[in-house]
Amino acid sequence: MSPHPAQTGAVNCAADPVSDARGVLDRCDELAAVSAIEHGIERVHLSPEHARVNEMAAAWMAEIGMRTWRDQAGNQWGRLEGREPGLPALVLGSHLDTVTDAGRYDGVLGVTSAIEVARRLAPRACELPFALEVVAFSDEEGTRFSTALMGSFAVAGNWHEDWWDRADRDGTTVREAAEAFGLDPARVHEAARRREELVGYLELHIEQGPHLEAADRPLAVVTSIAGARRFTGRVVGEARHAGGTPYPKRRDALVGASEVVLAVERLAVERGGIATVGRLQAFPGGVNVVPGLVEFSLDVRAEHDEDRDALVEAIRAYAEQFCAGRGLEFELSEVHNAAGVYCDAGLVESVTAAITATGDAEPLRIWSRAGHDAMAIAAIAPVAMIFVRCEDGISHAPGENVTPADVAAGLDAFEAAVLDLAARRS
Ligand code: GLV
Ligand code: MN
Ligand code: MN
């Protein structure tokens, strides 16, 4: 069988969108094989697996004639010049890092699709009124260091100096990991792009929710992206003998934390927000010891930042009061805060026209409950996103799935959005 054009870098003359989509999905499978865990997918920021997938993406970009480089925040880039060298760029991209035991499409489909769209447009790049760049961001998930979007925040010029001392579970700091990755922490600011260098940023991503499937549509235009706030929390009690300590004397941190977890869900549902405790650990962790300390994570989101912030305060107030009533201390410290963003009206028009051209007369408009690199990039460029339907809304789990037909529609819309924007700027 002859290799798929996406594997050779050849110009796509066959115009077989489903076959193009299969090539993109094959690349997602190749990337899925690069994992730190044997049975599943895990690729965290600044890991050897991260270095490997950057190299793979760079090779695919180079095959289609892109100039490639890795920036000082670990993001992988490729660039095709437009009708003259040095024009501001339209950037297409997403991320290649994953959560633990991830699916194979979150972020990855956006990067492989961006490369495919660049492949399709490469022969015509010299007619475009902008340069075309592809980026594979390095840390959208925050799996390793508990703060997300480090790669895209660096590109937006919003690097936080206190991130350098943040440690992973093994005690390796961001600084140490960056140096081991071959980056120079003193040069992280070189990753920042200037506003004048960018025309906009377009990201294709699986929906990670059930709305497209419920509406029986393959694609949607994203109107806004909810900003998450993340915290590490602690409930502090007293570790004592599980048999010998009578109930009135117990200050059981896990019982307190359990009520806090239930309250997190109850308050989020009552207020129409979304809040999740995804990680919880009791210490000292003995079967015959009353837990003296619980550490947990908290992720809070809502369509509007004011509602999200009010939900955080409601959770804090309830938890402090409940824990105090049991002689426990409750602490919450913020580790990540991304403001929600609205997608750019002009780019949303281009994406809407592009989805319409795929045969959907009235594209669905939805706000993203998940966070994306587009949120960070919105600080320096207009952004917009295309969502592709995923099976049963499953994401951040091995069951993530998409169909070749939906990906084919996504590729057509992605390419058409770039051409619509080019036409508007010509
Ligand atoms: C990223 O996937 C997030 O929304 O947590
Ligand atoms: Mn993602
Ligand atoms: Mn994700």
Side-chain angles (χ1 to χ4, degrees):
M1 201 203 292
S2 62
H4 181 269
Q7 288 157 347
T8 63
V11 176
N12 170 31
C13 300
D16 176 355
V18 175
S19 141
D20 285 353
R22 290 214 167 89
V24 164
L25 294 174
D26 286 348
R27 285 183 168 176
C28 294
D29 291 345
E30 282 184 58
L31 293 165
V34 183
S35 172
I37 55 179
E38 200 180 340
H39 301 291
I41 306 171
E42 182 185 290
R43 274 192 314 274
V44 299
H45 188 37
L46 302 176
S47 62
E49 297 74 36
H50 173 195
R52 175 71 195 119
V53 292
N54 269 4
E55 283 166 11
M56 291 163 70
W60 294 330
M61 294 175 193
E63 264 177 18
I64 55 173
M66 299 188 108
R67 177 171 69 79
T68 65
W69 70 98
R70 189 179 75 176
D71 71 20
Q72 285 293 341
N75 304 303
Q76 180 62 51
W77 295 83
R79 176 176 170 107
L80 289 171
E81 296 299 338
R83 64 183 169 215
E84 57 189 84
L87 287 173
L90 176 64
V91 181
L92 316 179
S94 194
H95 61 97
L96 291 179
D97 66 306
T98 73
V99 295
T100 297
D101 204 13
R104 53 187 60 206
Y105 303 115
D106 176 359
V108 171
L109 183 67
V111 174
T112 52
S113 296
I115 296 171
E116 169 61 13
V117 168
R119 182 191 69 78
R120 290 183 182 187
L121 293 174
R124 285 193 275 167
C126 57
E127 296 162 22
L128 293 174
F130 39 69
L132 197 58
E133 293 188 6
V134 172
V135 61
F137 283 116
S138 64
D139 174 55
E140 191 265 2
E141 304 287 5
T143 308
R144 182 169 183 186
F145 296 106
S146 293
T147 189
L149 302 168
M150 275 197 264
S152 41
F153 272 134
V155 170
N158 285 324
W159 181 262
H160 295 211
E161 285 302 316
D162 60 353
W163 285 343
W164 290 121
D165 298 324
R166 201 170 266 286
D168 67 10
R169 286 191 203 186
D170 300 327
T172 305
T173 62
V174 174
R175 181 182 301 280
E176 289 162 348
E179 283 168 350
F181 198 76
L183 304 174
D184 177 355
R187 294 174 57 199
V188 70
H189 301 290
E190 293 174 17
R193 301 294 299 266
R194 284 176 295 115
R195 230 169 245 282
E196 318 79 81
E197 295 173 23
L198 303 176
V199 167
Y201 172 76
L202 284 180
E203 180 167 353
L204 176 145
H205 205 286
I206 56 168
E207 183 205 343
Q208 307 182 279
H211 297 91
L212 276 168
E213 204 171 65
D216 197 20
R217 313 276 189 96
L219 306 176
V221 55
V222 177
T223 50
S224 66
I225 308 166
R229 287 177 70 186
R230 293 188 186 149
F231 302 84
T232 52
R234 281 157 57 93
V235 177
V236 185
E238 188 185 15
R240 288 180 63 149
H241 197 289
T245 313
Y247 277 104
K249 280 199 168 294
R250 289 186 182 222
R251 292 167 55 222
D252 185 329
L254 185 52
V255 172
S258 302
E259 170 59 22
V260 171
V261 172
L262 290 170
V264 162
E265 184 187 71
R266 188 178 66 247
L267 291 166
V269 170
E270 278 170 19
R271 291 165 164 263
I274 311 167
T276 308
V277 175
R279 189 185 290 163
L280 184 146
Q281 202 173 358
F283 299 92
V287 290
N288 54 356
V289 184
V290 174
L293 170 69
V294 167
E295 289 182 347
F296 62 95
S297 64
L298 175 66
D299 174 296
V300 185
R301 309 167 190 229
E303 182 175 10
H304 303 292
D305 289 353
E306 319 76 88
D307 299 336
R308 175 202 60 185
D309 295 346
L311 175 55
V312 168
E313 290 320 311
I315 290 170
R316 191 196 306 273
Y318 179 84
E320 277 173 0
Q321 195 186 21
F322 179 84
C323 288
R326 283 185 155 258
L328 303 167
E329 284 160 38
F330 177 81
E331 298 162 12
L332 212 47
S333 25
E334 190 159 64
V335 291
H336 170 74
N337 185 337
V341 304
Y342 290 94
C343 293
D344 173 75
L347 287 186
V348 164
E349 260 183 56
S350 288
V351 169
T352 305
I355 297 178
T356 306
T358 65
D360 181 348
E362 207 176 330
L364 200 66
R365 297 164 66 83
I366 51 187
W367 61 276
S368 177
R369 280 79 177 159
H372 300 288
D373 294 295
M375 304 164 74
I377 300 304
I380 51 163
V383 303
M385 294 188 68
I386 300 170
F387 269 175
V388 177
R389 168 169 55 191
C390 59
E391 191 178 313
D392 199 22
I394 294 172
S395 183
H396 283 187
E400 260 175 23
N401 202 14
V402 289
T403 67
D406 288 357
V407 172
L411 291 171
D412 287 348
F414 206 4
E415 179 186 9
V418 175
L419 292 175
D420 184 273
L421 194 64
R424 284 169 201 254
R425 291 180 70 91
S426 286

